[in-house]
Amino acid sequence: LEILVTILNENDNDPQFEQSNLTRVVREDTEVNATIVAREDLSATDADLDIIYYELTATVQGTDGYFAIKGVNNPEIYLKKALDYDKFQLTTLLLYARDRPVTSPDPTNTATATITIIIEQADTRVPWFLPCAFLHNDTSVCISSPYSGTINISKMAVEPLILRPGPIYAIDPDYTINEKIVYSIVGGNTDEVFSVDADTGNITMNKIVTSPDSFLLQVMAAQVNNVRKYSVATVEIKVISESLFPPHFEKGLYNGTVSVGLAPRSFVFQAGDPSTPLMIVAVDEDFPGV
């Protein structure tokens, strides 16, 4: 008697990942659609020879939507949206492998792989002059105010100029890279009156100025490793007469009188002379007759 026995395959095996934990370092400037983890590193196997269905999720809040898989049966992970190091530096992805579609009513076996993505900051920004303020709470753009200072006409300043709101100073906002910054004057330096220290940004005088005309310098801060990454700040230098004397009041004590019930903005009169408004006068010997 010949008996033919057919063995029916039971779905009793879970899918298996060759590696259940992977880590990848991804540069911030990686192009969209670039492969992050290759298909062969993520493909699962099933002893039951079932078709594997994949699903990818991000577990770190705010990082969803940056990474995706190529298809429900293709686990290759690619970059779906441009990265920003200031938004997040690390995320964890969970890749599920199932032997049935998600919508299947049949019992499903599942395996999970964890993919850790570390974002590496790239040299993407130009230098920032400080102090500066972020534009509409966008930390990728920082706007600085113009610098200003003064020099005395016909007098040579031997020390670096004092500027407002502070000394010239720029940084590389890609702070984990922190490329060295060098300074140069690229405009407004009529007759080469001024010099800027390439390393410190201090502005000094090369010669005296005999004209009252102001200077409007353009100072460039550029990265040493890439001069095309630069910013330009405006520095206004006003030429003034030297102040040798402090202002002072003509009298050390002024006396005045007011009447009860006077309306706001009414005159205060000199004590003893109710017809003459009280006047407080200061003079400065640097401006005689003024």
Side-chain angles (χ1 to χ4, degrees):
L1 178 64
E2 183 177 315
I3 301 174
L4 182 62
V5 178
T6 302
I7 307 298
L8 299 178
N9 188 20
E10 183 179 353
N11 185 23
D12 56 353
N13 291 285
D14 293 332
Q16 298 289 327
F17 285 105
E18 185 175 343
Q19 302 179 72
S20 59
N21 288 280
L22 296 91
T23 299
R24 292 290 185 272
V25 177
V26 182
R27 281 178 55 88
E28 177 187 14
D29 58 352
T30 299
E31 293 185 0
V32 173
N33 294 322
T35 297
I36 304 302
V37 186
R39 179 175 185 170
E40 54 267 24
D41 294 333
L42 293 172
S43 294
T45 58
D46 188 348
D48 297 319
L49 302 180
D50 290 319
I51 296 174
I52 305 298
Y53 298 87
Y54 298 94
E55 180 185 8
L56 185 70
T57 63
T59 64
V60 178
Q61 186 176 4
T63 65
D64 197 28
Y66 284 88
F67 301 93
I69 57 175
K70 285 294 182 69
V72 68
N73 301 121
N74 183 354
E76 178 180 314
I77 297 176
Y78 69 97
L79 183 63
K80 188 176 181 181
K81 189 166 63 172
L83 297 169
D84 185 343
Y85 185 84
D86 285 341
K87 291 184 177 178
F88 68 96
Q89 296 84 49
L90 182 142
T91 187
T92 302
L93 309 176
L94 295 180
L95 180 65
Y96 299 97
R98 300 183 177 92
D99 56 11
R100 297 288 186 271
V102 175
T103 57
S104 174
D106 299 328
T108 303
N109 297 310
T110 304
T112 305
T114 301
I115 302 98
T116 301
I117 303 292
I118 300 171
I119 310 302
E120 181 180 69
Q121 190 170 37
D123 190 8
T124 59
R125 297 177 180 173
V126 299
W128 289 348
F129 282 97
L130 301 182
C132 65
F134 292 120
L135 183 63
H136 306 306
N137 296 321
D138 182 356
T139 57
S140 64
V141 179
C142 202
I143 306 299
S144 61
S145 300
Y147 297 93
S148 63
T150 59
I151 59 172
N152 294 316
I153 194 167
S154 301
K155 184 174 182 180
M156 186 75 174
V158 295
E159 297 293 332
L161 302 187
I162 297 175
L163 303 177
R164 294 178 300 274
I168 291 177
Y169 180 58
I171 62 168
D172 178 5
D174 299 311
Y175 52 87
T176 65
I177 300 173
N178 195 27
E179 285 293 343
K180 178 178 173 58
I181 305 296
V182 292
Y183 305 92
S184 60
I185 299 176
V186 295
N189 194 14
T190 305
D191 201 25
E192 301 297 319
V193 171
F194 303 99
S195 293
V196 64
D197 188 289
D199 295 321
T200 66
N202 287 334
I203 293 180
T204 53
M205 293 183 68
N206 298 322
K207 59 185 73 173
I208 64 172
V209 175
T210 57
S211 169
D213 296 334
S214 297
F215 293 83
L216 199 62
L217 306 178
Q218 283 81 49
V219 176
M220 182 174 74
Q223 293 184 189
V224 169
N225 69 326
N226 187 350
V227 72
R228 290 177 293 180
K229 285 190 168 60
Y230 70 90
S231 294
V232 175
T234 300
V235 183
E236 183 183 17
I237 307 296
K238 294 182 179 179
V239 182
I240 62 173
S241 297
E242 184 178 6
S243 179
L244 300 175
F245 304 96
H248 62 89
F249 292 103
E250 286 186 335
K251 297 193 308 183
L253 178 64
Y254 292 85
N255 294 309
T257 60
V258 294
S259 300
V260 175
L262 279 180
R265 304 184 67 83
S266 296
F267 284 117
V268 175
F269 292 94
Q270 293 186 24
D273 187 358
S275 63
T276 303
L278 178 64
M279 296 183 63
I280 299 175
V281 180
V283 295
D284 189 336
E285 276 74 13
D286 289 313
F287 303 95
V290 178

